[in-house]
Amino acid sequence: MPPTNNDRSLVIVANRLPVQRVRRGTTSTWQTSLGGLVAALHPLLRKHGGSWVGWPGGEGGSSRAFRHDGMDIKPVTLSASQIEGFYEGFSNGTLWPLYHDVLRTPRFRRSWWRSYVEVNQKFADAIEPLVGPGSMVWIHDYHLQLVPKMLRQRRADLRIGFFLHIPFPAPELFARMPWRTEVLKGLLASDVIGFQTRAVAQNFLRASRRLTRATGSGCTLRLDDHTIRVQPFPIAIDIEEFETLANAESAGERTRSLRAKFGPKRKLVLGVDRLDYTKGIDVRLRAIEEVLRRGEFSARDMCFVQIAVPSRENVDDYASLRREVEQAVGRINGEYAEPGQVAVHYLHRRLSREDLVAYYMAADVMMVTPLRDGMNLIAKEYAASRIDGTGVLLLSEFAGAANELRQAVLVNPFDIDGMAKAVQTALTMPPAEQRRRMRSLRNAVHSYDLYDWAARFLGALRGDQDA
Ligand code: F6P
């Protein structure tokens, strides 16, 4: 159920707006985006009023506020140099690799930092005129960590919440960043700071005590007479949406058609990810290659389908990952495909929700093997879509979701032999064991949904002690 917001007005702030510009012939219109966060917060804004502040994507455009689908939208536009310095640079070339345990080398460029400060200020400037006395402002993610302090300096009356969707690294790694204190102080001006898991909340608490004058134990910090609640709020999915899609007649037809195309007698192993180096697509391919090399399974028995959603293509590390993945797909097929039976299918595109659910329903085994991930909602979506109660989820220990989905086959993605063995276990798992594990996964996913998640966070922001 959509949450309620009691009396305070609400402003949501995220790097991306919940709407996208879509071209129709010679004109273009705004369309509400698909996706978890929008699904959870849209009903709330529509019911109680409130605004969403964010970047509309692309360069320039109008920053005039407008109303769409029951929401007040305030665009924060970016220049070409801000896209390069703030978004591709500091957000995705410094913070993203640093916060994902340095899977790639973070670059500490002073010009990117200056751009980050400038754009965070631009967001704070855009928010201030929208907030009435005592309003709640809920800021999302690593792009906007300085905004809480920038707002607080001007408006002591606000209730400011911040939720980090990605991991927060161990203090020893975080401490490498030249602007570590500014970032922590930016965040510590919030009233509530939410993380995906207890472990990353602990990382933040330790970093704050070590690198600032913040004190406190448990989940409460104090800095300069200000109290901050720091707590895990693991994000969830809209279960009803996935179950409705899975129960639709058309889903059954799509699933049967996919099975027929890939070969009804072959086992289908699936991966669905943004094409990002944190997701472990490359190591997953090496594990599949290892399974085929061992010879117990051939391309006649199984195929692996990787759906890779294009992402951040102007950032170097993403472009080189794409080359690596595409080379690996070519190499594996060159070695192991049979006439008419491709070993690895690679789809570099975004799928509709309907097609995505049909793939989940068709897959005997789902591989979710990030090297590091804040939560990973694909794992939860797979369980929600398996209304037939079967299917095997292979899940990385390093995804936040592994804390909740304990009956997945848990794998260490850095261990190729272990992963290959887990794929073999999954491919041969008896239906009774599949059902037992899937029942537990589905129970975990059903225990709370995206609306409960948003309601809990906003409850904490209002000051409810039991939220
Ligand atoms: O997981 C972090 C995140 O920023 C999500 O909020 C977002 O959907 C995804 O990465 C894609 O990021 P971008 O906005 O860079 O396309």
Side-chain angles (χ1 to χ4, degrees):
M1 283 297 291
T4 56
N5 180 29
N6 295 356
D7 298 314
R8 293 173 191 267
S9 72
L10 176 66
V11 177
I12 305 289
V13 189
N15 183 47
R16 298 269 184 189
L17 279 179
V19 291
Q20 281 169 327
R21 204 100 179 116
V22 262
R23 295 221 160 274
R24 287 223 177 78
T26 52
T27 57
S28 69
T29 52
W30 291 105
Q31 202 174 66
T32 306
S33 311
L34 294 170
L37 195 60
V38 180
L41 300 175
H42 184 199
L44 202 125
L45 290 183
R46 203 166 37 195
K47 192 158 175 220
H48 300 277
S51 313
W52 192 308
V53 181
W55 175 42
E59 183 191 331
S62 166
S63 56
R64 198 143 41 99
F66 62 94
R67 219 175 144 67
H68 175 85
D69 211 356
M71 297 178 280
D72 290 322
I73 304 285
K74 171 64 185 164
V76 176
T77 57
L78 300 183
S79 66
S81 81
Q82 288 171 334
I83 293 174
E84 202 192 318
F86 157 77
Y87 172 70
E88 292 162 359
F90 200 77
S91 297
N92 290 313
T94 307
L95 294 171
W96 184 268
L98 180 66
Y99 283 24
H100 287 88
D101 291 354
V102 192
L103 290 169
R104 294 288 185 278
T105 307
R107 282 166 220 161
F108 299 122
R109 288 215 187 138
R110 285 167 293 176
S111 60
W112 288 357
W113 166 251
R114 284 194 291 274
S115 186
Y116 187 77
V117 176
E118 180 183 282
V119 173
N120 272 246
Q121 192 62 61
K122 215 171 169 179
F123 269 82
D125 292 344
I127 299 162
E128 203 196 341
L130 306 174
V131 285
S135 290
M136 297 200 292
V137 183
W138 189 3
I139 301 160
H140 291 263
D141 233 355
Y142 59 105
H143 316 83
L144 302 172
Q145 296 171 105
L146 307 180
V147 175
K149 183 169 174 199
M150 289 169 170
L151 269 182
R152 176 72 70 210
Q153 278 168 340
R154 302 186 205 170
R155 294 288 302 272
D157 60 297
L158 298 177
R159 292 291 296 169
I160 302 176
F162 185 95
F163 183 76
L164 187 70
H165 289 252
I166 68 173
F168 190 88
E172 296 73 19
L173 290 179
F174 180 77
R176 293 183 191 179
M177 182 162 59
W179 310 281
R180 59 200 191 181
T181 316
E182 286 92 327
V183 167
L184 289 174
K185 285 186 175 166
L187 290 167
L188 289 166
S190 312
D191 296 290
V192 177
I193 309 179
F195 294 91
Q196 297 280 21
T197 65
R198 188 162 298 285
V200 301
Q202 286 298 338
N203 284 345
F204 177 78
L205 287 161
R206 284 170 53 217
S208 300
R209 286 191 293 254
R210 185 182 301 182
L211 300 168
T212 73
R213 281 179 291 103
T215 53
S217 57
C219 59
T220 305
L221 286 176
R222 298 243 347 131
L223 180 65
D224 301 336
D225 293 334
H226 176 61
T227 303
I228 310 111
R229 181 164 165 183
V230 177
Q231 206 180 304
F233 293 92
I235 198 166
I237 59 167
D238 183 345
I239 301 147
E240 210 179 299
E241 182 201 0
F242 280 89
E243 291 197 338
T244 306
L245 286 167
N247 277 307
E249 208 174 298
S250 57
E253 282 156 25
R254 279 174 212 250
T255 307
R256 281 190 291 281
S257 148
L258 285 174
R259 296 281 339 186
K261 283 180 190 152
F262 289 114
K265 296 222 170 70
R266 293 163 96 202
K267 293 274 188 190
L268 200 154
V269 184
L270 177 67
V272 178
D273 311 81
R274 263 185 324 102
L275 188 45
D276 192 301
Y277 54 83
T278 59
K279 303 292 180 186
I281 302 171
D282 43 354
V283 293
R284 192 179 309 159
L285 283 165
R286 284 175 57 202
I288 293 291
E289 189 171 21
E290 179 59 24
V291 170
L292 292 166
R293 193 193 65 73
R294 292 178 182 184
E296 262 179 58
F297 293 91
S298 74
R300 283 187 300 276
D301 314 308
M302 63 164 273
C303 70
F304 175 60
V305 181
Q306 176 65 51
I307 295 157
V309 179
S311 184
R312 304 174 190 165
E313 291 181 296
N314 291 331
V315 179
D316 289 347
D317 285 330
Y318 289 73
S320 56
L321 173 75
R322 180 172 179 189
R323 282 193 298 276
E324 274 168 44
V325 165
E326 293 181 356
Q327 269 174 18
V329 172
R331 186 183 67 235
I332 301 170
N333 279 330
E335 192 70 32
Y336 298 105
E338 303 276 347
Q341 284 175 320
V342 171
V344 177
H345 292 259
Y346 168 72
L347 282 73
H348 183 244
R349 69 198 69 157
R350 177 180 293 282
L351 297 184
S352 68
R353 293 291 239 209
E354 288 78 5
D355 282 336
L356 189 60
V357 168
Y359 270 95
Y360 291 148
M361 291 169 74
D364 299 292
V365 179
M366 179 83 210
M367 291 184 80
V368 181
T369 58
L371 303 170
R372 188 75 182 113
D373 212 330
M375 175 53 65
N376 198 299
L377 294 179
I378 299 287
K380 294 188 174 182
E381 290 174 7
Y382 178 67
S385 305
R386 298 302 304 195
I387 49 170
D388 73 345
T390 66
V392 184
L393 174 65
L394 244 71
L395 179 61
S396 164
E397 295 166 28
F398 302 108
N403 290 318
E404 297 166 67
L405 305 179
R406 303 303 301 170
Q407 283 301 316
V409 176
L410 294 177
V411 292
N412 171 4
F414 295 92
D415 171 8
I416 301 297
D417 282 335
M419 286 245 285
K421 203 162 155 247
V423 172
Q424 288 177 310
T425 305
L427 286 170
T428 52
M429 188 179 284
E433 186 177 350
Q434 288 188 32
R435 286 185 192 284
R436 182 182 61 73
R437 287 178 181 257
M438 188 51 76
R439 198 175 314 119
S440 154
L441 297 179
R442 288 176 57 76
N443 284 343
V445 168
H446 269 103
S447 61
Y448 67 101
D449 71 4
L450 191 56
Y451 299 117
D452 300 323
W453 169 78
R456 267 192 68 213
F457 188 93
L458 290 172
L461 191 52
R462 273 193 302 268
D464 302 350
Q465 283 315 309
D466 52 355

